[in-house]
Amino acid sequence: MNALARWVPRLIIATAVLHFAWAFAQPHAWGAIVRDGFFRSVVDTDAEDYFAREFSIWWMVAGVALLALGTLARHVVRTTGRLPAQIGWYLLGLGVPLTVVYFPVTGGWPLLAIGVLGLAATRGTGATRP
């Protein structure tokens, strides 16, 4: 196992934690969502704060997805001693559209960087199966 393979899952998990923190630090609609009781609180597209509510939810959902990717990657690295190339490709698949659409100010840059590191971590480790 190389050091880069150990660090990529940590970086993904750190990005997920930052995503969760930013979901509550930025202007958000969590108070309105809580007041409405969560259930069906983001379905009225005509509501004045619809986009703030949707934005808040998607920040949280993306944080959960990154946390899942990071913890699963950590598990695979601990179990097999190598990082699957898919991790790097998934991160690039997330980061490239974000970076292209929101260029130059976007959170896609860390995903691109970690994705490239993930692909670099797979080089030279071989494709041995446990």
Side-chain angles (χ1 to χ4, degrees):
M1 171 183 345
N2 62 35
L4 199 51
R6 285 191 309 269
W7 271 98
V8 167
R10 294 174 186 167
L11 292 171
I12 298 169
I13 292 168
T15 304
V17 169
L18 290 173
H19 223 272
F20 288 131
W22 188 247
F24 292 101
Q26 69 182 345
H28 54 76
W30 289 110
I33 291 169
V34 170
R35 276 192 304 277
D36 287 350
F38 290 102
F39 185 71
R40 296 183 47 82
S41 61
V42 190
V43 295
D44 183 7
T45 56
D46 293 329
E48 182 179 321
D49 63 345
Y50 171 75
F51 290 107
R53 290 176 183 229
E54 185 179 46
F55 194 69
S56 300
I57 295 296
W58 279 108
W59 270 90
M60 184 60 63
V61 168
V64 171
L66 285 169
L67 185 61
L69 187 62
T71 55
L72 287 170
R74 182 180 63 189
H75 173 72
V76 170
V77 168
R78 286 181 177 172
T79 304
T80 67
R82 65 182 204 88
L83 184 73
Q86 291 94 328
I87 299 297
W89 290 116
Y90 293 153
L91 290 168
L92 289 176
L94 292 168
V96 167
L98 283 173
T99 306
V100 169
V101 171
Y102 291 109
F103 185 83
V105 180
T106 176
W109 294 110
L111 297 177
L112 289 177
I114 300 169
V116 168
L117 289 174
L119 290 175
T122 64
R123 293 184 52 107
T125 58
T128 58
R129 296 184 184 257

